[in-house]
Amino acid sequence: MDLNGFNLIIFDEFQKARGNFPYIPIAQLAHKYNLKIFGLSASPGGTQNIIEKIKKSCFIKNVHRINIPVPPKTESLVLAEMTEPLKTINELFLSLIKQTAINLCRLGFQVDTERIITAKELKLLQVMILNKKSDPNYYRAMSTYAQYRKLHHAFVSIMSESYYTFLDYANRLKFEDKSQAANAICSNTDFQQITYLAAEAQIHPKVEKLLEITQSLINMNKGIIVFVYERITGKHLKDVLNSQIQNIKAEVIFGGKDGDKRKIHQDILKRFANGEINVLIATSVIEEGLSTPGVNAVIHYSMPPTDIARIQRGGRAGRFENGTVVYIALNHFFDKAMYWSTWHGVKTMRQTLNDQASKIATSSDGIVRKKRKGIDTLTLPLFPEQITE
């Protein structure tokens, strides 16, 4: 494309300018044509090193912080206590996963048997096994690793999502997954006991808390977005909310690139704006760029996976009036670890930016400016009535 007729290029959510994201080659082309480059982000990165990398990839020289006074927002963490069946399920899963880890160790691949390893550690373990294809235990190790990974996913599903989400996955393991690993899991008596307990359980503690919180917010005429990790969880929550709470119309909105999907999204958002829908259940598809006046409450049913997602999702509420953000966490290490991990990430990100601010000086034009280490902070009085208060 010939860019000679342009003077400025704007990158919204420019924190994405990493890896293979298209912003990088576009920024290179803009730089070649000597265009001015302007990036916007509410969450540029958790560390100074990340911010500097993004600046470099987009040829950004100066950073300006813009503080826009917005309505107050309250955040709450609500813990859902584990029931006795869920405690039993937890113990059975821990035993299954520990035994699988021991089996990997016996095959010559070191895995911590005293804890559940993280998703990042799972990927590193896979790479370690793949690098030893000449090992006589390679194929057994790969199958055992697959068992660990599938058990890990099943465990997260039942603890952080819902019984329904887990049972859906368990059925796919049994009837669709033809791998040796899936067969080994499904034929295990402990896993069969877990499946039985999940099927017999009446309601997941997190779903019960969601019903309580949603009812309370609906009574206050709040428009709500509920963020979930898996689509199957979202569909389940839609059915539960619509069937058990009066004066509610919940709808799901998931990702997709086809034109029909975009039309569906636009229709749902229009109906939400008109008040025909008062609860949106969504994955990450609307965590960025959505500005709907009717949204004044966000419920994190699934914990946000990153600090940036935490900021973006919470930012959907309280844009035009007082906002409410609620995190529903099972009183279990999976949810609590994710909550505090992203909490610390957001704190670090803000501290990184705050360290570069200095005393406030107000100019005659009413715009508040700070400057330190080459970074300006601008406070734009977009809501003057709040500033007066």
Side-chain angles (χ1 to χ4, degrees), residues 14-31:
F14 82 99
Q15 79 276 357
K16 295 181 178 181
R18 288 189 278 178
N20 296 321
F21 200 76
Y23 279 2
I24 294 176
I26 295 172
Q28 291 170 346
L29 187 62
H31 182 69

Side-chain angles (χ1 to χ4, degrees), residues 188-200:
N188 185 283
T189 54
D190 283 349
F191 189 79
Q192 292 172 359
Q193 176 68 6
I194 291 169
T195 305
Y196 172 78
L197 290 171
E200 290 297 306

Side-chain angles (χ1 to χ4, degrees), residues 14-15 21 32 108 159 196 226 231 234-235 264 317 360 379:
F14 82 99
Q15 79 276 357
F21 200 76
K32 177 182 175 183
M159 291 296 167
Y196 172 78
V226 180
R231 293 185 179 198
K235 293 176 181 178
I264 293 172
I360 297 176
T379 299

Side-chain angles (χ1 to χ4, degrees), residues 106-163:
R106 288 172 177 168
L107 293 170
F109 298 92
Q110 293 303 310
V111 183
D112 194 330
T113 60
E114 298 303 317
R115 65 178 178 86
I116 306 296
I117 66 176
T118 65
K120 183 177 180 180
E121 290 171 322
L122 266 174
K123 292 180 181 178
L124 293 174
L125 176 60
Q126 183 183 32
V127 171
M128 181 173 65
I129 297 173
L130 288 171
N131 288 335
K132 293 188 177 182
K133 290 186 178 181
S134 59
D135 191 303
N137 292 322
Y138 170 75
Y139 289 105
R140 288 178 61 194
M142 283 300 294
S143 180
T144 308
Y145 164 79
Q147 287 183 49
Y148 193 107
R149 180 170 51 79
K150 293 174 190 293
L151 285 169
H152 187 283
H153 180 77
F155 193 20
V156 173
S157 294
I158 203 167
M159 291 296 167
S160 297
E161 297 292 305
S162 69
Y163 292 128

Side-chain angles (χ1 to χ4, degrees), residues 271-323:
R271 289 164 59 202
F272 185 89
N274 292 337
E276 298 173 40
I277 297 171
N278 50 14
V279 177
L280 289 176
I281 303 171
T283 52
S284 59
V285 64
I286 61 169
E287 74 181 21
E288 297 175 348
L290 176 69
S291 182
T292 302
V295 177
N296 38 39
V298 166
I299 299 175
H300 297 269
Y301 179 85
S302 303
M303 291 298 105
T306 66
D307 46 4
I308 290 177
R310 182 176 178 135
I311 291 173
Q312 295 287 355
R313 294 181 182 187
R316 299 314 99 202
R319 297 168 73 88
F320 302 95
E321 57 182 274
N322 294 2

Side-chain angles (χ1 to χ4, degrees), residues 17 27 50-61:
I50 292 175
I51 293 172
E52 290 300 325
K53 285 183 178 179
I54 295 171
K55 285 171 60 181
K56 185 177 180 181
S57 65
C58 285
F59 301 93
I60 291 173
K61 295 179 181 179

